[in-house]
Amino acid sequence: MIQLEGSHILSVNQFDLDTIQTIFSVAQRMQPYALRQRRTRVLDGAILGNLFFEASTRTRVSFSTAFNLLGGHVAETVGSGTSSLSKGESLFDTAKMMATYSDVIAMRHPESFSVQEFAKGSCVPVINGGDGSNEHPTQALLDLFTIEKELKEKNKDINGMNIAMMGDLKYGRTVHSLSKLLSLYKNVTFTLLSPTELQMPQHVIDQVVNAGHKVNIVDKIQGNLEHADILYQTRIQEERFPSQDEANKYRGQFRLNQRVYAQHCHQDTVILHPLPRDSRPEANELNDDLNTNPNLAIFRQADNGLLIRMALFALTLGVDSQLEQHELPVNWYVRK
Amino acid sequence: MIQLEGSHILSVNQFDLDTIQTIFSVAQRMQPYALRQRRTRVLDGAILGNLFFEASTRTRVSFSTAFNLLGGHVAETVGSGTSSLSKGESLFDTAKMMATYSDVIAMRHPESFSVQEFAKGSCVPVINGGDGSNEHPTQALLDLFTIEKELKEKNKDINGMNIAMMGDLKYGRTVHSLSKLLSLYKNVTFTLLSPTELQMPQHVIDQVVNAGHKVNIVDKIQGNLEHADILYQTRIQEERFPSQDEANKYRGQFRLNQRVYAQHCHQDTVILHPLPRDSRPEANELNDDLNTNPNLAIFRQADNGLLIRMALFALTLGVDSQLEQHELPVNWYVRK
Amino acid sequence: MIQLEGSHILSVNQFDLDTIQTIFSVAQRMQPYALRQRRTRVLDGAILGNLFFEASTRTRVSFSTAFNLLGGHVAETVGSGTSSLSKGESLFDTAKMMATYSDVIAMRHPESFSVQEFAKGSCVPVINGGDGSNEHPTQALLDLFTIEKELKEKNKDINGMNIAMMGDLKYGRTVHSLSKLLSLYKNVTFTLLSPTELQMPQHVIDQVVNAGHKVNIVDKIQGNLEHADILYQTRIQEERFPSQDEANKYRGQFRLNQRVYAQHCHQDTVILHPLPRDSRPEANELNDDLNTNPNLAIFRQADNGLLIRMALFALTLGVDSQLEQHELPVNWYVRK
């Protein structure tokens, strides 16, 4: 169990199982507040520095909403052009400044390890909202949290489950981070389904295998999804392929729609995707006809992201035990 | 009377006279809060998703201020480049996500009917802040509210009034929407003053005439404004004309300044404009020398926009009857 | 002593010594709130219109944080592209609108005197956050406040001190404004150290000399910093020079690092810089090896900027005497 109060959240490598369970248990307690059934003002007056040097509406608004739901204010910076970084300021100097203004900082930046560099200059907790191709730890946590919740609904457990990861496993950082977190559990079977060119990197496979899990590397859907408890779909990035023809050939093999699901998955297979999904016809890795499939969990993932980020704010700022002491009634219309 | 609590506000076609009067009566009750004479926190803890996929400082800040004045937080997204829409996400998926984060959503988007499409995915009320050339219902409501208030000051009424609309009546969506709302009243005389190329579309004229109102279509100021209770000026968009020479010729005929007003209007004619007005010499549809004319109502329009948007938030979130229960004193300097 | 409640803050020329001392005394009282040792909600419900028509993360977030720390909401506009100004709206019209929405406005704009022009249309206090090459009065105040605090730590006073200003003294507006404020004090010795091409403008020198201060104009470090109580470093802008070779020659002479400091300053010389400092090797006017020098005050400057801006909001809105009446406990983790 690591100390979360006053700590930076930079990498999935920071977490052990106890810490993860602590985060998930606080996240679960956030649900009535996220659903507006209850309301807390435990962070009233606190300020989140929400620094998005790279655009990402989903992640940015998820952080800001999580903070607002705990009662705090958000100071937002979007885009690198608006920053002193473009005038040559170091990440260290930017951090010294932003830490003066904020009680906690969420940061996304296009360069790998930039958030870690930034954190060195900050005396307040920094939460990594994605540093280039390196890490996106809150995404990995919300993916894992979603898997745990979805399996629980079906009386299953992460220990012993079968997960299929599909698509671009080489460049998709979310599947790398999720695999590392799953390594902490017992007896997981990984089915890694991708074009040969886009296979999971060997160092991730090694970590999983060394932790005692089973890994199947395959390159087509047929016969490989029927035992999947979880199917984690990703985007195939066509710019990775030598030619458009080749890209089209592969893409056709990894698209998921209601017909493919019915034919190749079992009736309980839960579908995840890191979002956003590309709905343009030339991509279409997750067809809209799955929207009515109750096992499509992608919109519940967004809800869970909010809970995880609320939990991380409460834990790093040490207010997780005080939520109920700062409650006020909800006055307004609550969605059904 | 339509149900407003929990409803989307997408089009002026939704409204009947009773609904309009309900909105206006709540808007009127918002005035002491907008003027900082009183303060309410009825939406403390609620979150507005303020989605401006197209820039508009005036409308965006009007929505955010209206929400802040009721005590709520605002999560803002500006510009399409920062959005997952640019990665191919559907409006439906974006709406599912944003509705998780927000209690109510205000949205502007450059494409017609995009806000309607978005609203299908949202379980919280969506207010259309302008969808391309299609609709801008809160602008139409604030125009109508301003007309009602300004006429009342002069002991007049919308029923039986004479309104002149001037400029580009073909492409200006505000005059279309306002005409539709005015159709709900009785015995309005419309003077539609524009270059022939920029006449009001026939379907709008038909709706007005079928509702029993009188329409005069004219192409010059001389002799056509002397009975106007309201003069609604718009911008003439020069890019619509075959040549710059032709644009200049027309523009000169439709500019309004103190001299033209004194010569062609009567002393009570109230001047409106959808704003912003273009103050560059080549445009100048509403000269700055009118700023001291007490019948120039354009700045009162901005005030009224705030009241209308506060009313729509209170009504869609069902807190209109609770404003006074959540009052706190105003501590700070109040402008005179 | 000028009246601050309800007033615009546009230029350092507005201030006399009494007013400055009033601002500094309120700024000092803001410290426990800025450090999160105490919390006030004296501006709960008030709205800051934070208008940055030119990007500046540091100044923008400093204003927004200062307002949040007093309990208020912030409505932000960043970049000129998102504004009606690009559609030809006058600054007067923009001000009329924004003043309807806000209780106080902070504004930065790339054009000189634009904020003054804007303020004519605003019925709420406007604080100049930088108008092109003209003025940046809150920067000058925070520089002066930092100098006063740093000297006090060393039992010195502004009256009678020796300040060296170094770098581009021709185009750097901060050194112009600071010099004007220092003219209000007694017996200051100014050492103006710059390449001949970038000397302090004569009108600033005249003002300083006419106020009875001593001015030394020099062009190299050697022998000119040993009596400096304050060393105010600025950036040398290479684009001002006829050739890259010439720029490099000058730059080398005005870089500051630990070695230069040890050799040419005395052990108490306090280093300031308007920030951001350019850490790229080709600029490097203030080397990172100074970060551990206790006399490097640049990060304390950022803290002081927050205090000054909190003080200006409290004073212009007339709540400076009510801070303690609106206190609430701090619930969350407080940085050490």
Side-chain angles (χ1 to χ4, degrees):
Chain A
M1 173 71 193
I2 65 157
Q3 163 76 11
L4 290 169
E5 186 173 326
S7 297
H8 304 310
I9 306 292
L10 299 174
S11 163
V12 294
N13 296 322
Q14 284 176 261
F15 302 125
D16 56 24
L17 269 189
D18 278 352
T19 309
I20 289 171
Q21 284 311 319
T22 300
I23 296 170
F24 286 5
S25 128
V26 176
Q28 201 52 53
R29 282 174 48 218
M30 292 297 177
Q31 186 146 315
Y33 302 104
L35 294 176
R36 275 72 164 172
Q37 291 157 350
R38 291 162 69 180
R39 183 157 74 88
T40 184
R41 225 156 56 179
V42 71
L43 287 181
D44 184 7
I47 296 171
L48 165 66
N50 210 22
L51 293 183
F52 275 68
F53 296 118
E54 183 183 62
S56 168
T57 304
R58 180 180 310 275
T59 306
R60 177 178 57 81
V61 180
S62 180
F63 274 117
S64 79
T65 301
F67 207 73
N68 283 161
L69 287 174
L70 296 171
H73 289 288
V74 179
E76 210 150 65
T77 297
V78 179
S80 58
T82 67
S83 161
S84 291
L85 294 173
S86 61
K87 297 184 197 161
E89 186 174 64
S90 68
L91 283 165
F92 181 86
D93 279 15
T94 305
K96 291 287 280 183
M97 165 187 72
M98 286 305 305
T100 294
Y101 301 149
S102 313
D103 294 287
V104 58
I105 293 168
M107 176 169 165
R108 168 168 289 206
H109 193 284
E111 282 170 43
S112 292
F113 300 103
S114 53
V115 182
Q116 287 78 348
E117 181 66 22
F118 177 93
K120 288 180 196 157
S122 171
C123 60
V124 304
V126 174
I127 300 178
N128 186 353
D131 60 316
S133 63
N134 180 40
E135 285 249 20
H136 187 7
T138 62
Q139 176 73 43
L141 284 171
L142 80 88
D143 284 344
L144 185 67
F145 184 57
T146 303
I147 290 170
E148 191 186 76
K149 282 179 83 168
E150 296 288 328
L151 292 180
K152 205 171 183 182
E153 288 283 314
K154 302 185 187 304
N155 295 312
K156 297 179 188 173
D157 191 63
I158 296 180
N159 294 308
M161 76 156 175
N162 187 318
I163 183 168
M165 295 175 172
M166 179 157 115
D168 173 6
L169 305 184
K170 185 171 183 185
Y171 297 103
R173 70 183 165 191
T174 58
V175 287
H176 305 172
S177 294
L178 179 58
S179 297
K180 287 179 185 177
L181 286 184
L182 287 173
S183 294
L184 299 171
Y185 291 79
K186 302 272 171 234
N187 301 319
V188 177
T189 302
F190 290 77
T191 300
L192 304 179
L193 205 161
S194 71
T196 315
E197 294 84 343
L198 296 178
Q199 275 181 12
M200 184 74 89
Q202 194 57 43
H203 72 94
V204 181
I205 295 176
D206 289 348
Q207 186 170 1
V208 168
V209 169
N210 291 339
H213 304 286
K214 211 162 106 189
V215 173
N216 305 315
I217 298 174
V218 298
D219 67 359
K220 57 172 169 298
I221 288 180
Q222 288 72 12
N224 287 315
L225 294 182
E226 53 203 18
H227 300 297
D229 299 301
I230 301 289
L231 170 52
Y232 195 105
Q233 170 71 309
T234 66
R235 181 185 309 210
I236 294 199
Q237 282 145 337
E238 72 176 47
E239 63 276 21
R240 311 292 187 195
F241 289 91
S243 74
Q244 186 61 44
D245 278 359
E246 202 138 351
N248 289 343
K249 191 180 73 182
Y250 281 115
R251 261 179 163 168
Q253 287 182 34
F254 295 94
R255 283 178 183 149
L256 194 66
N257 57 29
Q258 194 53 40
R259 190 184 50 74
V260 172
Y261 182 88
Q263 196 176 341
H264 298 287
C265 298
H266 68 69
Q267 62 173 23
D268 267 356
T269 303
V270 173
I271 308 165
L272 298 181
H273 186 286
L275 299 185
R277 63 173 161 173
D278 192 337
S279 289
R280 288 171 293 197
E282 66 272 25
N284 199 11
E285 67 262 7
L286 209 57
N287 198 292
D288 284 350
D289 69 2
L290 290 160
N291 285 1
T292 53
N293 184 327
N295 287 321
L296 184 78
I298 60 171
F299 300 121
R300 296 192 288 274
Q301 269 179 295
D303 301 7
N304 291 331
L306 200 52
L307 304 184
I308 288 292
R309 290 177 181 119
M310 290 174 81
L312 290 175
F313 287 134
L315 285 161
T316 55
L317 292 173
V319 297
D320 50 297
S321 66
Q322 302 169 54
L323 300 174
E324 295 81 5
Q325 296 160 44
H326 299 275
E327 288 206 2
L328 285 179
V330 177
N331 307 315
W332 58 88
Y333 169 80
V334 175
R335 59 193 177 215
K336 278 117 211 166
Chain B
M1 173 72 194
I2 66 158
Q3 162 78 11
L4 289 169
E5 186 174 327
S7 296
H8 304 309
I9 306 292
L10 299 173
S11 162
V12 294
N13 297 323
Q14 285 176 260
F15 302 124
D16 56 26
L17 269 189
D18 278 352
T19 308
I20 289 172
Q21 283 312 318
T22 299
I23 296 169
F24 286 4
S25 126
V26 175
Q28 200 52 52
R29 283 174 47 218
M30 292 298 178
Q31 186 145 314
Y33 303 104
L35 293 176
R36 275 71 165 174
Q37 292 157 351
R38 289 162 71 180
R39 185 157 72 88
T40 184
R41 227 157 53 179
V42 71
L43 286 181
D44 184 7
I47 296 171
L48 165 66
N50 210 23
L51 293 181
F52 275 68
F53 296 117
E54 182 183 62
S56 168
T57 303
R58 181 180 310 275
T59 306
R60 177 177 57 80
V61 180
S62 181
F63 274 118
S64 79
T65 301
F67 207 72
N68 283 161
L69 286 174
L70 296 171
H73 289 288
V74 178
E76 210 149 64
T77 297
V78 179
S80 57
T82 65
S83 161
S84 291
L85 294 172
S86 61
K87 298 185 197 161
E89 186 174 62
S90 68
L91 283 166
F92 180 87
D93 279 16
T94 304
K96 291 287 280 184
M97 165 188 69
M98 286 305 305
T100 294
Y101 300 149
S102 313
D103 293 287
V104 57
I105 292 167
M107 176 170 167
R108 169 169 289 205
H109 192 284
E111 282 171 44
S112 291
F113 300 103
S114 53
V115 182
Q116 288 77 349
E117 180 65 23
F118 177 93
K120 287 179 196 157
S122 170
C123 60
V124 304
V126 174
I127 301 179
N128 186 353
D131 60 317
S133 61
N134 181 38
E135 284 249 21
H136 188 5
T138 63
Q139 176 74 42
L141 284 171
L142 79 89
D143 284 343
L144 186 67
F145 184 58
T146 303
I147 291 170
E148 190 186 75
K149 282 180 83 167
E150 296 287 329
L151 291 180
K152 205 172 184 182
E153 287 284 313
K154 302 184 188 305
N155 295 311
K156 298 180 187 172
D157 191 62
I158 296 180
N159 295 308
M161 75 154 175
N162 186 318
I163 184 169
M165 294 174 170
M166 180 157 114
D168 173 6
L169 306 183
K170 184 170 181 183
Y171 297 103
R173 70 183 165 191
T174 57
V175 287
H176 306 171
S177 294
L178 179 58
S179 297
K180 287 180 186 176
L181 286 183
L182 287 173
S183 294
L184 299 170
Y185 291 78
K186 301 274 170 231
N187 301 320
V188 177
T189 302
F190 289 77
T191 300
L192 304 177
L193 205 162
S194 73
T196 315
E197 293 85 342
L198 296 177
Q199 274 182 12
M200 184 72 91
Q202 193 57 42
H203 72 93
V204 180
I205 295 176
D206 288 347
Q207 187 171 358
V208 168
V209 169
N210 291 340
H213 304 285
K214 208 160 108 190
V215 173
N216 306 314
I217 298 173
V218 298
D219 66 359
K220 58 173 168 301
I221 287 181
Q222 288 73 11
N224 287 315
L225 295 183
E226 55 203 15
H227 300 298
D229 299 300
I230 301 289
L231 169 53
Y232 195 104
Q233 169 73 309
T234 66
R235 180 184 310 210
I236 294 198
Q237 282 144 338
E238 72 176 47
E239 64 275 22
R240 311 293 188 195
F241 290 91
S243 74
Q244 185 61 44
D245 279 358
E246 202 138 352
N248 290 342
K249 190 181 74 181
Y250 280 115
R251 263 180 160 168
Q253 287 182 35
F254 295 94
R255 282 176 183 150
L256 195 66
N257 57 29
Q258 194 53 41
R259 189 185 52 74
V260 172
Y261 182 88
Q263 195 177 342
H264 297 288
C265 299
H266 67 70
Q267 61 173 21
D268 268 354
T269 303
V270 172
I271 308 165
L272 298 181
H273 185 288
L275 301 185
R277 63 173 161 172
D278 193 337
S279 289
R280 288 173 292 199
E282 66 272 25
N284 198 10
E285 66 261 8
L286 208 58
N287 199 289
D288 283 350
D289 69 2
L290 290 160
N291 285 1
T292 53
N293 184 327
N295 287 320
L296 185 78
I298 59 172
F299 300 122
R300 296 192 288 274
Q301 268 179 296
D303 301 7
N304 292 331
L306 200 52
L307 304 183
I308 287 292
R309 290 177 181 118
M310 290 174 81
L312 289 174
F313 286 135
L315 285 161
T316 54
L317 291 172
V319 296
D320 50 298
S321 65
Q322 302 170 54
L323 300 175
E324 294 82 6
Q325 296 160 44
H326 299 276
E327 288 205 4
L328 284 179
V330 178
N331 307 314
W332 59 86
Y333 169 81
V334 176
R335 58 194 176 213
K336 278 114 208 167
Chain C
M1 174 71 194
I2 66 159
Q3 163 77 11
L4 289 169
E5 186 173 326
S7 296
H8 304 309
I9 307 292
L10 299 173
S11 163
V12 293
N13 297 321
Q14 285 177 260
F15 302 125
D16 55 26
L17 269 189
D18 279 352
T19 308
I20 289 171
Q21 284 311 318
T22 300
I23 295 170
F24 286 5
S25 127
V26 175
Q28 201 51 53
R29 283 174 48 219
M30 292 299 178
Q31 187 146 312
Y33 303 104
L35 293 176
R36 276 70 165 174
Q37 292 157 351
R38 290 162 70 181
R39 184 156 73 87
T40 184
R41 227 158 53 180
V42 70
L43 287 181
D44 184 8
I47 296 170
L48 165 65
N50 211 21
L51 293 182
F52 275 67
F53 296 119
E54 183 183 61
S56 168
T57 303
R58 181 181 310 275
T59 306
R60 177 176 58 80
V61 181
S62 181
F63 274 118
S64 79
T65 301
F67 207 74
N68 283 161
L69 286 174
L70 296 171
H73 290 287
V74 178
E76 211 150 64
T77 297
V78 179
S80 58
T82 65
S83 160
S84 291
L85 294 173
S86 62
K87 296 184 197 162
E89 187 174 63
S90 68
L91 283 165
F92 181 87
D93 279 16
T94 305
K96 292 287 280 183
M97 164 187 71
M98 286 305 305
T100 294
Y101 300 149
S102 313
D103 294 287
V104 57
I105 292 167
M107 176 169 166
R108 169 170 288 207
H109 192 283
E111 283 172 43
S112 291
F113 300 102
S114 53
V115 181
Q116 287 78 348
E117 180 66 23
F118 176 94
K120 288 180 195 156
S122 171
C123 60
V124 304
V126 174
I127 299 178
N128 185 353
D131 59 318
S133 62
N134 181 39
E135 285 248 21
H136 188 5
T138 63
Q139 176 73 43
L141 283 171
L142 79 88
D143 285 343
L144 185 67
F145 184 58
T146 303
I147 291 171
E148 190 185 76
K149 282 179 83 168
E150 296 288 327
L151 291 180
K152 206 172 182 180
E153 288 284 315
K154 302 185 190 300
N155 295 311
K156 296 180 189 172
D157 191 63
I158 296 180
N159 295 306
M161 76 157 175
N162 186 319
I163 183 168
M165 296 175 170
M166 180 158 114
D168 173 7
L169 306 183
K170 184 172 182 182
Y171 297 104
R173 71 183 164 192
T174 57
V175 286
H176 306 171
S177 294
L178 179 58
S179 297
K180 288 180 185 176
L181 286 184
L182 287 173
S183 294
L184 299 171
Y185 291 79
K186 301 274 171 233
N187 302 319
V188 177
T189 302
F190 289 78
T191 301
L192 304 178
L193 206 162
S194 72
T196 314
E197 292 85 344
L198 297 178
Q199 275 181 11
M200 184 74 90
Q202 193 57 42
H203 72 93
V204 180
I205 295 176
D206 289 347
Q207 188 170 359
V208 168
V209 169
N210 291 338
H213 304 285
K214 211 162 107 191
V215 173
N216 305 315
I217 299 174
V218 298
D219 66 359
K220 56 172 167 301
I221 286 181
Q222 288 73 11
N224 287 314
L225 295 182
E226 53 203 18
H227 300 296
D229 300 300
I230 301 289
L231 170 51
Y232 196 105
Q233 170 71 309
T234 66
R235 181 184 310 210
I236 294 198
Q237 283 144 336
E238 72 176 47
E239 64 275 21
R240 311 293 187 195
F241 289 91
S243 75
Q244 184 62 42
D245 279 357
E246 202 138 352
N248 290 342
K249 192 181 71 182
Y250 281 113
R251 262 178 161 169
Q253 288 182 33
F254 295 94
R255 281 176 184 152
L256 195 66
N257 58 29
Q258 193 54 39
R259 189 184 52 73
V260 173
Y261 182 87
Q263 195 177 341
H264 299 287
C265 299
H266 68 68
Q267 60 174 22
D268 268 355
T269 302
V270 173
I271 308 165
L272 298 181
H273 185 288
L275 302 185
R277 62 172 163 174
D278 192 337
S279 289
R280 289 172 292 198
E282 66 272 25
N284 199 12
E285 67 261 8
L286 209 57
N287 199 289
D288 283 350
D289 69 3
L290 291 160
N291 285 1
T292 53
N293 185 328
N295 287 321
L296 184 78
I298 61 171
F299 300 122
R300 297 192 287 274
Q301 269 178 297
D303 300 7
N304 291 331
L306 201 51
L307 303 183
I308 288 292
R309 289 175 182 120
M310 290 174 82
L312 290 175
F313 287 135
L315 285 161
T316 54
L317 292 172
V319 296
D320 50 297
S321 64
Q322 303 169 54
L323 300 175
E324 294 81 6
Q325 296 161 42
H326 299 276
E327 288 205 4
L328 285 179
V330 178
N331 308 314
W332 58 88
Y333 169 80
V334 175
R335 59 193 176 214
K336 278 117 210 165

